[in-house]
Amino acid sequence: MMMPSAPHPASPRPSTDLTRVVQWEDRTAWFLFVGALVMFGLSTWVVSTPLPTATVAGALLVVFVLWMVFIADYLVRLALAAGARREFVRTRVFDLISLALPFLRPYLVIVYIWRLPAFRHGSAARLRARYMITMIMFTLLFVYTASWGVWLVERSAPDASITSFGDALFWGFTTISTVGYGDLVPVTVLGRVIAVGLMMGGIAVIGVTSATLISALNESIERRVERNAAMKSAGEVAPDGQ
């Protein structure tokens, strides 16, 4: 996924234009982040729960309105980019793709995490927190997408054990966590292909999460060692000054 990048310092005009885009994103990131969460929640609700027709229509209307808001936001940012529109499209390619492919819309939650001012600017610890939150959100969305795909291909298959969306979600989380009780398993070829992809993704998620936690632990240990060394030096110097 291509995340928003800073304007290139070598060309003054694009830099100025993309700076306006970044300022707009800083002002709208929280609103669009909440909107992406609402869209994701409503989509899950409609898919996973039998609902009256009127309720489904209302939920889909809200999803459609949010979709229009995302399109309008993209067009506004494209206009603000002015002379740097090619750079804007290149660095925000996922925004454009997700406008045309609705099933990718939930993943905009991850994009907006990267745009939130609280995480975009700050220390290494804040950057690491952004990576950690991004990984958690990606894992949840990855499990959701894989579970939804398995449910679609398995629910009508003969001898299928995954026949409801709730079963599919439970299977997805037990699979990516490497627990795998074995009571729910895909029986179709496509379902098993999705399952293998989920397993491989679980390995990657565990690796990245472990590396991030180890990095945070190492930094915490280094700070404590430096603090103890400074306190020890201060304690050794004090008697000499008496």
Side-chain angles (χ1 to χ4, degrees), residues 13-14 17-18 20-21 76-85 88:
R13 175 68 182 278
D17 292 336
L18 285 186
R20 293 206 305 266
V21 173
V76 168
R77 288 183 289 136
L78 184 62
L80 290 174
R85 287 175 181 166
F88 169 82

Side-chain angles (χ1 to χ4, degrees), residues 42 85 88 108 133 137 168 231 233:
L42 287 177
R85 287 175 181 166
F88 169 82
L108 275 181
I133 294 174
M137 293 300 300
M231 294 174 61
S233 298

Side-chain angles (χ1 to χ4, degrees), residues 43-65:
S43 301
T44 303
W45 187 40
V46 169
V47 169
S48 61
T49 308
L51 298 170
T53 303
T55 303
V56 172
L60 292 179
L61 177 61
V62 174
V63 170
F64 177 76
V65 170

Side-chain angles (χ1 to χ4, degrees), residues 156-179:
S156 301
D159 301 323
S161 59
I162 302 175
T163 56
S164 70
F165 188 66
D167 288 341
L169 278 178
F170 179 76
W171 165 84
F173 280 106
T174 56
T175 299
I176 201 170
S177 63
T178 70
V179 175

Side-chain angles (χ1 to χ4, degrees), residues 113-114 116 118-137 212-213 215-216 219:
I113 288 176
W114 282 76
L116 293 177
F119 295 110
R120 174 181 277 177
H121 315 291
S123 63
R126 188 170 295 183
L127 178 63
R128 191 162 43 244
R130 179 172 67 169
Y131 273 106
M132 182 63 70
I133 294 174
T134 300
M135 183 55 59
I136 292 172
M137 293 300 300
T212 304
L213 292 175
S215 174
E219 182 177 334

